[in-house]
């Protein structure tokens, strides 16, 4: 019975990854001719389509760009790729956090 549960979980996870990757590749902007263009296009798209950073759109989109431009990334030093990702994320619009006051609980004291 445990094997069936493990198989089901693996199937659900792989299906959701496939779904997410196809949604990003079909619904988004151009991947650009360079990885920098791809990062900028996708960050702009996430800014327009989501409530703001942080959310999964930004990270998933940058990972998508990495996979699309994998061949050209091998010629760029790792620290430059990381710097390009960081610079692209600086353009991400922050989401407005809603502050709420904590509920005050009465203090109970033992007799």
């Amino acid at each position: 019975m445990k094997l069936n549960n493990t198989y089901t979980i693996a199937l659900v996870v792989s299906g959701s990854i496939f779904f997410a990757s196809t949604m990003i590749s079909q619904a988004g902007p151009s991947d650009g001719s360079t990885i920098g263009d791809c990062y900028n296009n996708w960050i702009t798209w996430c800014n327009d389509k989501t409530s703001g950073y942080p959310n999964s759109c930004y990270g998933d989109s940058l990972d998508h760009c990495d996979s699309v431009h994998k061949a050209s990334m091998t010629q760029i030093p790792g620290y430059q790729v990381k710097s390009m990702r960081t610079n692209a994320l600086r353009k991400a619009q922050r989401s407005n956090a809603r502050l709420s006051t904590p509920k005050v609980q009465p203090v109970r004291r033992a007799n």
Side-chain angles (χ1 to χ4, degrees):
M1 187 73 175
K2 186 175 182 179
L3 180 62
N4 290 338
N5 289 340
T6 305
Y7 177 73
T8 304
I9 291 170
L11 187 62
V12 169
V13 169
S14 64
S16 63
I17 290 171
F18 175 74
F19 177 74
S21 66
T22 57
M23 290 304 293
I24 286 177
S25 64
Q26 292 176 359
S30 165
D31 291 329
S33 59
T34 65
I35 192 165
D37 290 341
C38 187
Y39 286 162
N40 291 332
N41 292 344
W42 279 96
I43 292 296
T44 302
W45 187 81
C46 287
N47 285 340
D48 293 341
K49 302 294 181 187
T50 64
S51 62
Y53 183 79
N55 68 45
S56 63
C57 179
Y58 295 93
D60 292 345
S61 298
L62 295 181
D63 291 342
H64 169 75
C65 289
D66 290 346
S67 67
V68 168
H69 294 281
K70 191 177 213 175
S72 63
M73 282 179 55
T74 59
Q75 301 171 4
I76 303 171
Y79 71 91
Q80 283 184 340
V81 173
K82 187 174 181 179
S83 176
M84 290 167 61
R85 283 178 73 106
T86 302
N87 288 335
L89 280 174
R90 286 187 181 130
K91 297 174 186 170
Q93 293 176 349
R94 293 260 177 209
S95 63
N96 294 329
R98 299 187 82 156
L99 299 177
S100 61
T101 58
K103 292 182 181 179
V104 178
Q105 300 292 328
V107 177
R108 293 186 181 193
R109 297 191 178 175
N111 291 347

